[in-house]
């Protein structure tokens, strides 16, 4: 694992189930991008998609979400086909968030990551809580089986059987716990007026 780059200098794609994007890691990512906005794909559209294979970004239902002022309404707009193709040539970073507080059942994203040698040992009952990974804009695709995550936070649904992968424990180099402060440094604005960006990432 590596130190995540500042998203202000990247063109990120956010995959999230959180259509409300409030009081959550999703909100932190959108707030951090401010008026510049972030490309978003709701993970509900990925159901039934085989993410063990490359998925063309331009084929996804991409929206642009932006929050001009902290606490203000998130402006959302669906991209046209031509805009999706243009975005696919620029997107160079992936962020995946989950519902706050309640981990979902494993889905296509987890299936794709289990095929990834860089995440060797990921179990069938482990779900992604938070992920940050670089993408190659020249490929114009998400290849979960080939991602090299900068940061990966896994929650274990069967917590009674394996405490080490409970929420807020992250897989880092050597599978060591990593502080979410690294994610906050990459995502949160230095002048975040509410001061709760890190707290949002940890939910």
């Amino acid at each position: 694992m590596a130190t995540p780059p500042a998203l202000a200098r990247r063109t990120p794609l956010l995959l999230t189930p959180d259509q409300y994007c409030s009081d959550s890691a999703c909100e932190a990512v959108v707030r951090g991008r401010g008026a510049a906005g972030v490309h978003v794909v709701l993970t509900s559209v990925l159901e039934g998609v085989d993410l063990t294979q490359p998925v063309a970004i331009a084929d996804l239902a991409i929206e642009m979400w932006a929050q001009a002022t902290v606490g203000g309404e998130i402006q959302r707009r669906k991209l046209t086909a031509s805009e999706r193709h243009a975005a696919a040539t620029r997107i160079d970073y992936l962020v995946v968030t989950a519902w706050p507080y309640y981990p979902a059942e494993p889905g296509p994203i987890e299936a794709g990551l289990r095929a990834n040698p860089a995440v060797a040992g990921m179990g069938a009952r482990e779900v992604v809580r938070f992920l940050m990974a670089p993408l190659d804009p020249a490929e114009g695709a998400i290849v979960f089986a080939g991602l090299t995550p900068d940061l990966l936070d896994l929650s274990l649904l069967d917590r009674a059987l394996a405490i080490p992968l409970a929420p807020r424990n992250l897989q880092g180099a050597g599978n060591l716990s990593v502080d979410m402060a690294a994610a906050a440094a990459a995502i949160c604005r230095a002048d975040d007026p509410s001061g709760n960006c890190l707290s949002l990432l940890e939910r």
Side-chain angles (χ1 to χ4, degrees), residues 2 10 72-73 100 103 113 118 151 157 173 178 180 193:
R10 306 300 287 262
E73 180 181 357
L113 285 174
L151 188 151
L157 297 183
V178 179
M180 282 300 283

Side-chain angles (χ1 to χ4, degrees), residues 91-191:
I91 289 171
D92 61 2
Y93 207 77
L94 178 68
V95 180
V96 179
T97 69
W99 287 111
Y101 308 113
Y102 302 104
E105 290 294 316
I109 291 175
E110 285 76 17
L113 285 174
R114 285 197 296 273
N116 187 333
V119 197
M122 180 175 172
R125 297 296 290 166
E126 292 167 29
V127 295
V128 175
R129 199 192 71 83
F130 196 82
L131 179 148
M132 300 181 73
L135 296 175
D136 183 354
E139 293 183 352
I142 305 173
V143 187
F144 279 97
L147 287 181
T148 304
D150 289 330
L151 188 151
L152 176 59
D153 182 347
L154 298 174
S155 293
L156 184 64
L157 297 183
D158 302 320
R159 295 176 196 168
L161 300 179
I163 298 303
L165 284 177
R168 293 184 61 184
N169 284 354
L170 289 82
Q171 183 176 1
N175 203 31
L176 300 175
S177 180
V178 179
D179 196 321
M180 282 300 283
I187 292 170
C188 303
R189 289 166 40 181
D191 62 345

